[in-house]
Amino acid sequence: MHYSDFGLTNTKHLLTRALNNGYAVPAFNFYNMETLNAILNAAEQTNSPVILAVSESALEYMTPDILMGMIRGAKYKKNQVALHLDHGHSFESCKHAIDSGFSSVMFDGSALHLSENIKLSKKITDYAHKFNVSVETELGVLAGIEDERTFTKKQSYTNPEIVADFVKQTQTDSLAIAIGTSHGLYKRKNENEKLRFDILKQIATNIPKIPLVLHGASTIPQKFITKINKFGGDISFARGISPAQLRQAITLHITKINIDSDSRLAFTSSIRETLAKYPNIINPREYLTTAMNAMTQNCIDEIKNIMGSSNKA
Ligand code: G3H
Ligand code: 13P
Ligand code: ZN
């Protein structure tokens, strides 16, 4: 089935509108029915467009059939929701998502040699565009999860000098860039560490019509860390990107902001709290509903405080 049969739209549609109007569309990751509904409930309550992001490992966890069954049964505003493959690592992975009904795919060739990244990105845009599926590609490397505790800067920032040629050669619809964010809970040594807005500005100047994407953008609200530790968890010095810096990035053409860790924190801290406070609970529906609502609230907060996408659906 094609994604339009589900009432989904592609990210080119959502992001072009965001770029022209100065806001960002949130891309929230999900892995099951509760996290999917948490995102859709937040989108409904804020009247915001939203990108439902599924990583390769989340797709394997849910299986394509169960995922598409949930999408078929879910309730959302027509043409305001995209289903997006997050960090596809091969042509086959992107093709599989497109053939399954995704409306958007990311090809993450950031670790490849530039010529190989261009070659594979173009192969994927050629295939995706036949079905009006949007493609996000990446230039520059984010520090990986492996680096989170050591803060090793294995990342390489995106080179603004090559972005125009990359876009022209690959025909990509949006571009993920590296300006100092990283995936996971440990993004910052201290509060004052700034993203490389100088690089972002040059990229936005060189490719003014291309929506830019920020991965690793979770803010890591400390209230969730405190709650997790209070109720039996053990997480120390996790620190994210400040909402103020994310809002500044939006003024420089960041139009898709990827959030996963914040949702995990909202969800998990809620489960820890419920199980600690009510030791007799054994019905998963009870603590999963509370956790879903906690994630919805966090998505709403981020839509309102960061994205500026309320009432844009
Ligand atoms: O960018 C990565 C996302 O947080 C997905 O992570 O592969 O554990 O689902 P995952
Ligand atoms: P966080 O780990 O900062 O939530 O990043 C998520 C992400 O980039 C998904 O692609
Ligand atoms: Zn990412």
Side-chain angles (χ1 to χ4, degrees), residues 11 14 29 48 55 60-61 79 85 113 121 164 178 262 269 279 307 310:
T11 46
L14 297 183
N29 290 70
S48 169
S55 68
E60 198 179 307
Y61 178 80
N79 294 324
L85 177 70
H113 188 275
S121 296
D262 289 349
S269 62
M307 313 290 168
S310 299

Side-chain angles (χ1 to χ4, degrees), residues 34-53:
E34 288 78 12
T35 47
L36 169 63
N37 282 334
I39 301 165
L40 291 176
N41 292 344
E44 190 194 352
Q45 287 178 46
T46 52
N47 194 27
S48 169
V50 76
I51 296 164
L52 301 168

Side-chain angles (χ1 to χ4, degrees), residues 45-258:
Q45 287 178 46
T46 52
N47 194 27
S48 169
V50 76
I51 296 164
L52 301 168
V54 183
S55 68
E56 286 177 337
S57 61
L59 184 55
E60 198 179 307
Y61 178 80
M62 289 184 274
T63 76
D65 283 349
I66 290 177
L67 163 62
M68 295 318 293
M70 290 194 298
I71 294 290
R72 194 189 305 262
K75 303 228 175 326
Y76 49 85
K77 197 165 180 176
K78 221 169 173 280
N79 294 324
Q80 300 303 327
V81 176
L83 180 64
H84 174 80
L85 177 70
D86 191 27
H87 294 282
H89 285 99
S90 63
F91 172 78
E92 290 70 29
S93 168
C94 293
K95 180 179 183 301
H96 179 245
I98 294 165
D99 296 346
S100 301
F102 280 58
S103 64
S104 175
V105 293
M106 176 199 190
F107 171 61
D108 181 353
S110 58
L112 301 174
H113 188 275
L114 179 61
S115 59
E116 191 61 16
N117 188 359
I118 292 173
K119 198 171 114 192
L120 270 171
S121 296
K122 177 68 166 61
K123 186 174 173 188
I124 290 161
T125 57
D126 280 347
Y127 186 76
H129 289 167
K130 283 188 210 157
F131 305 96
N132 203 20
V133 169
S134 310
V135 179
E136 170 186 330
T137 52
E138 178 162 348
L139 269 179
V141 182
L142 272 67
I145 296 280
E146 321 64 70
D147 301 330
E148 67 193 14
R149 281 185 182 275
T150 57
F151 299 110
T152 309
K153 296 268 175 182
K154 275 187 194 153
Q155 71 202 32
S156 61
Y157 297 119
T158 305
N159 177 358
E161 302 302 326
I162 65 172
V163 294
D165 187 56
F166 183 83
V167 166
K168 192 170 163 205
Q169 287 204 55
T170 59
Q171 294 296 300
T172 192
D173 298 298
S174 61
L175 185 68
I177 56 162
I179 55 165
T181 58
S182 52
H183 291 111
L185 299 185
Y186 309 94
K187 303 178 193 298
R188 288 280 173 273
K189 281 192 217 104
N190 60 63
E191 297 288 347
N192 303 328
E193 211 176 324
K194 283 254 161 28
L195 297 175
R196 289 292 303 269
F197 289 109
D198 55 330
I199 295 176
L200 176 56
K201 203 171 194 168
Q202 286 178 56
I203 296 169
T205 304
N206 292 351
I207 45 171
K209 294 196 171 130
I210 298 294
L212 303 176
V213 178
L214 199 58
H215 284 251
S218 276
T219 62
I220 316 296
Q222 293 302 304
K223 64 183 179 188
F224 297 139
I225 305 291
T226 305
K227 193 183 279 186
I228 285 175
N229 290 339
K230 180 174 174 191
F231 294 110
D234 182 14
I235 292 175
S236 53
F237 60 77
R239 190 176 284 122
I241 312 295
S242 72
Q245 289 198 53
L246 294 175
R247 287 193 295 268
Q248 189 177 343
I250 294 171
T251 68
L252 295 167
H253 295 190
I254 292 293
T255 48
K256 173 173 174 278
I257 294 189
N258 287 18

